[in-house]
Amino acid sequence: MEMSVGLSNSVKGGAVLKLSFCPLAFSRFNPSPPSSTSKFLFRKKSYSKKLTGRRLISKMTDSEVKAATSDSTAGKMIFQPILEDGVFRFDCSANDREAVYPSLSFINNKSRDVPVMSNKTPSYIPSFECRLGQQIVKLEFPAGTSFYGTGEVSGQLERTGKRVFTWNTDAWGYGPETTSLYQSHPWVLAVLPNGEALGILADTTRRCEIDLRTECRIQFISLPSFPVITFGPFSSPTAVLVSLSHAIGTVLMGPKWSLGYHQCRWSYDSQERVLEISRKFREKGIPCDVIWMDIDYMDGFRCFTFDKERFPDPKSLVKDLHNIGFKAIWMLDPGIKHEEGYFVYDSGSKHDVWIQKADGKPFVGDVWPGPCVFPDFTQSKARAWWANLVKDFISNGVDGIWNDMNEPAIFKTVTKTMPESNIHRGDHELGGCQNHAHYHNVYGMLMARSTYEGMGLADRRKRPFVLTRAGFIGSQRYAATWTGDNLSNWEHLQMSISMMLQLGLSGQPLSGPDIGGFAGNATPKLFGRWLGFGAMFPFCRGHSETGTIDHEPWSFGKECEEVCRLALKRRYRLIPHIYTLFYMAHTRGTPVATPAFFADPKDPNLRTLESCFLLGPLLVYSSIMPDLGSDKLQPLLPKGIWLSFDFDDSQPDLPALYLQGGYVIPFGPPHQHVGESNPSDDLTLIVALDEHGKAKGSLFEDDGDGYGFTEGEYLLTHYVAELESSVVTVKVSKTEGLWKRPNRRLHIQLLIGEGAMIDAWGNDGEDLQIEMPSEIEVSKLISSSKEHHRLRLESIKHIPDVEDGSGHKGGELSRTPIELANGDWSLKIVPWIGGRIISMVHLPSGSQWLHSRVEIYGYEEYSGMEYRSAGCTEEYNVMQRDLEHAGEEESVLLEGDIGGGLVLQRQITIPKDNPKILRIESSILARKVGAGSGGFSRLFSIFTSTFFFLFHFSFRLLFDYLV
């Protein structure tokens, strides 16, 4: 251990108090780590082995334990057909098949455990090896196979070359190499060279490594014993997802209003501010349906309470919101303040619902309210207790509930969650009494389930809407999800597309990012481009962190505001189509948003496209580069006919839209909120004929809420179009449901190329015929459309390239993360959120262990909004950046004004001569210390909190064991 401390006395005008520390980053092979730390870790490892042994013995005989954990056990897995044709369950042995825990991913546990009759045999049989207490499962595929899925993950769309660990983690400020995020989906979708596809599920709730680093090989590693379920190969990726939905369930059918735009912030701090924001949407004609209340509406962060000063009358607030067409969603966290006299704590203690420590006492961990206890959602009595609290909470006018921090996240701990030794007294059908390591990944899903059921108890006439941060494969049955605490930069805009798609490819179609980025200040161009694209995402919400600039659509200037208005009007016109896709997803298991290669799974060129996606047959294509708009794109389109169109709203910051030949999609007029629409609105069908002159499409309609659709109270219309003898006939081919067709006009827009179209009007339900013009007339229409498009692009006002924050003394405020890499370390530092290190990767091991917070010996690296040192501002200027400075090191020097004439300097260095060391050197400079400045007191208070030690070797021991 090496540590250097320098201290110099304060003097007027140029005082420097300097505390430098040089934490050694030991490599995993360093032979001499600090003895006290290594003893602690070895004790922890020994204890964990004993706990694992008890877990196995509780379910198996001694011989079965030996069979499941033998260092030499290996071979091909045994299989049996389950669920339906083409689905197989694989186990290491018959004993293992009997020993596994109940499935928490399957909607019906029996369908995983009961074999069915089938004449098929599996095309791919996994091999296994049980070594060092781990079950390792491998599947080999032919060259040219592409891997997708793996749930909520950052980074590239095509997952070959990546490794994921399923361990729900509060991963604020994650990057493309972060290996664990907020949700766990031990699932891979393999697309074979011929376009067929196969799905593979490792059905375990435990921490599981999904290793795709070897081309054409999938490897799952977790504690034994767990089964592997394969789906297919089937003819297409869609067929695999449909089969998966038969196992894990389909997405909930949410209320129609939930498909509108959602506006959120941490936090709108009073009911006056909530109403001000909502009314401004209406005044500016920007469509929006939902406004969200983050944690600050509560009384001291106590769940199920309201701050009496800032939110004194929530019922009145919600009534006012409903009157202008808004719904209200409120946050509920799992951490319940440990405080006698607080009715939720007292009630939970009376019902004995808290998670326990190994000694049987309730576990207490710090979250927003301070010391908290946590409901044990693995128990039916705890779920019922929570559901009844939710039921009562709904009476305040709550329209939807947001479950956050439910990984569960715990403050003041390096692991960011509760100890794995904690005890859950789970229901027998869930797996019985187990430690937290067993239930950690499903805790958020079970909380979302309890919340969903509570909303159902409150009003059975309405469909619940729940948003959850943490989840597991199967949680789509209860909640939507968002992609967590992302950053306001172009990298996260790009990743948001792939992340939304991966969740859809893992059975969770109702998802989206915090549009504009949660942490940091978006620029006008970034926000406009992000909302332009994000308006087409299945779940569409803007959200930003406290301490950042305003992130409402009008906050970035008139040009950006207009882009946002047009983008959201597009979304609202397409809601009939999106709502139909969700009805199909709910009833049939078909996906909602998919990668472009779903249009042609055989085409390898489409498999890595990350700037586009499909909504059914509608292709959304945009630029993810700051200096390149969609008008300059030369998109790679799937084979076949793809016809472009817009709503006379073309913009470089809006995506280009293409409809696949052979399809019809419905849309309506642009409303300010979903409740404005009514069945008598004019209906428009966009028609793109295929090479045979045919097209088809569907429209689902119902009340938009409630469960009447399950009893036939709906109308599902199937439209067809066909060209015969230069006449296109559009008609209804079939209907389903008991609803009568509304009396409305039907507008047909027949696409003929380059955005040109032929318009025709009629009455919905009647055959409508369109006379096709001559080739010369078609050519004129296309030329006219192209000219109109050109003139429009020339006349629009572009969003200015504004990058805020030029610093003093020649320093500047970088709006993109700064990366340092040398030797053993790769770091990402973000000046505009407090100069924090948000990513720290040890390159030899590949471990990423600083996502959120490290607090050791009084010093804190915390990649959240709050910086603990007294008086510190949120932005640092980059004073100097040296890559191999003087041939010795990579470094960046940051400086932030902390008031009182003081600045805090941070120099982060990776020395070239000793690349195992990471050096963070903090200095407090008194530039203007004098009477009344307050500088001396601030200087002292910061000095007392600036010690930091990192033991990479120690962390690697823990990391190796945990994963």
Side-chain angles (χ1 to χ4, degrees), residues 527-779:
F527 190 87
R529 188 74 60 80
W530 206 330
L531 187 55
F533 216 153
M536 297 290 100
F537 287 174
F539 175 63
C540 182
R541 183 183 78 156
H543 182 39
S544 54
E545 185 181 37
T546 184
T548 60
I549 62 174
D550 290 344
H551 278 62
E552 292 76 39
W554 54 82
S555 303
F556 299 94
K558 292 182 179 180
E559 296 83 3
C560 181
E561 178 184 327
E562 178 62 11
V563 168
C564 295
R565 183 182 293 107
L566 292 173
L568 291 173
K569 283 185 175 182
R570 274 187 171 189
R571 179 179 184 84
Y572 277 63
R573 298 197 76 173
L574 286 165
I575 277 181
H577 173 58
I578 298 171
Y579 191 54
T580 300
L581 290 176
F582 270 103
Y583 172 74
M584 298 300 183
H586 174 70
T587 55
R588 305 178 187 182
T590 51
V592 175
T594 58
F597 73 79
F598 269 55
D600 186 4
K602 295 180 182 180
D603 186 350
N605 296 316
L606 300 176
R607 295 189 181 185
T608 57
L609 291 183
E610 297 186 353
S611 58
C612 57
F613 61 91
L614 291 161
L615 287 169
L618 175 63
L619 181 63
V620 182
Y621 219 122
S622 186
S623 171
I624 52 180
M625 303 298 292
D627 55 350
L628 180 68
S630 60
D631 58 321
K632 304 297 183 182
L633 285 178
Q634 294 183 341
L636 175 62
L637 299 174
K639 294 177 183 176
I641 297 173
W642 292 88
L643 299 176
S644 64
F645 73 96
D646 59 27
F647 300 100
D648 200 23
D649 60 358
S650 293
Q651 258 270 5
D653 291 301
L654 293 179
L657 303 177
Y658 300 85
L659 182 59
Q660 185 175 8
Y663 287 93
V664 175
I665 61 169
F667 68 90
H671 295 294
Q672 288 199 41
H673 60 95
V674 171
E676 272 191 316
S677 63
N678 62 74
S680 62
D681 285 339
D682 292 346
L683 173 67
T684 302
L685 299 179
I686 300 181
V687 179
L689 300 175
D690 64 12
E691 63 272 21
H692 304 295
K694 296 182 179 181
K696 62 181 179 180
S698 302
L699 171 64
F700 172 77
E701 301 169 274
D702 72 343
D703 274 337
D705 208 343
Y707 295 95
F709 75 94
T710 64
E711 299 173 354
E713 296 297 322
Y714 68 93
L715 176 63
L716 177 61
T717 305
H718 300 275
Y719 294 94
V720 295
E722 188 169 5
L723 172 64
E724 288 186 353
S725 302
S726 76
V727 174
V728 176
T729 301
V730 180
K731 63 183 179 180
V732 174
S733 64
K734 185 176 68 170
T735 62
E736 301 174 31
L738 303 177
W739 266 25
K740 291 184 178 180
R741 183 168 307 281
N743 183 19
R744 61 190 173 198
R745 292 198 306 166
L746 180 65
H747 179 202
I748 302 297
Q749 293 187 318
L750 178 64
L751 302 181
I752 56 176
E754 298 290 347
M757 59 184 67
I758 301 171
D759 291 280
W761 290 86
N763 294 316
D764 187 25
E766 299 176 358
D767 292 2
L768 194 154
Q769 293 188 328
I770 305 169
E771 184 78 27
M772 288 294 292
S774 67
E775 289 186 11
I776 294 176
E777 290 172 322
V778 168
S779 179

Side-chain angles (χ1 to χ4, degrees), residues 185 522 754 854 871:
H185 300 75
E754 298 290 347
V854 171

